[in-house]
């Protein structure tokens, strides 16, 4: 059984037992979270599609860890004397493990 859920402005295809990194949630490691914005649930030929979300469907997950991703360097360079701007960014994430899908 698989589902497509929306969280953090993105959509993810998830299965039970799968680990994935999503945008940061306000939950500590070990907590249980429920993702209720389920767009689609499928198992073999049986597929349920929401408009836009399925009523009563939810995906439960356990928070494995919170962290920050690798650094992305941003460099703005113009061909002038001393005209260079250099910055960096690290995106925060929450790693979750899917424990159940109910439709």
């Amino acid at each position: 059984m698989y589902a497509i859920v929306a969280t953090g402005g993105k959509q993810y295809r998830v299965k039970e037992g799968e680990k994935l990194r999503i945008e940061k949630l306000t939950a500590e490691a070990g907590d249980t979270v429920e993702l209720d914005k389920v767009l689609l649930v499928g198992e073999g030929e049986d597929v349920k599609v929401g408009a836009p979300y399925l009523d009563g469907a939810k995906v439960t997950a356990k928070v494995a860890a919170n962290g920050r991703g690798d650094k992305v360097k941003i460099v703005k360079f113009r061909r002038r004397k001393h005209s260079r701007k250099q910055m960096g960014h690290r995106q925060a994430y929450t790693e979750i493990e899917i424990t159940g899908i109910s439709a």
Side-chain angles (χ1 to χ4, degrees), residues 4-12 21-23 37 39 91:
I4 296 179
V5 296
T7 179
K10 298 178 181 70
Q11 297 175 1
Y12 301 94
R21 288 185 176 182
I22 60 174
E23 295 294 319
K37 291 186 177 180
L39 290 100
Q91 185 70 30

Side-chain angles (χ1 to χ4, degrees), residues 27-95:
E28 298 296 322
D31 290 350
T32 302
V33 294
E34 288 185 358
L35 306 172
D36 56 349
K37 291 186 177 180
V38 180
L39 290 100
L40 182 139
V41 173
E43 183 171 18
E45 294 294 318
D46 183 32
V47 177
K48 296 178 186 173
V49 180
Y53 303 118
L54 280 171
D55 292 331
K58 65 181 177 178
V59 173
T60 57
K62 188 178 113 180
V63 176
N66 289 316
R68 294 173 73 191
D70 295 334
K71 181 173 271 197
V72 178
K73 290 191 176 184
I74 299 109
V75 177
K76 293 183 180 180
F77 187 82
R78 293 182 309 187
R79 57 176 207 270
R80 308 284 183 269
K81 191 173 184 180
H82 307 298
S83 72
R84 183 179 72 151
K85 185 176 183 181
Q86 190 171 11
M87 297 186 302
H89 175 73
R90 292 181 70 187
Q91 185 70 30
Y93 67 86
T94 299
E95 187 170 340

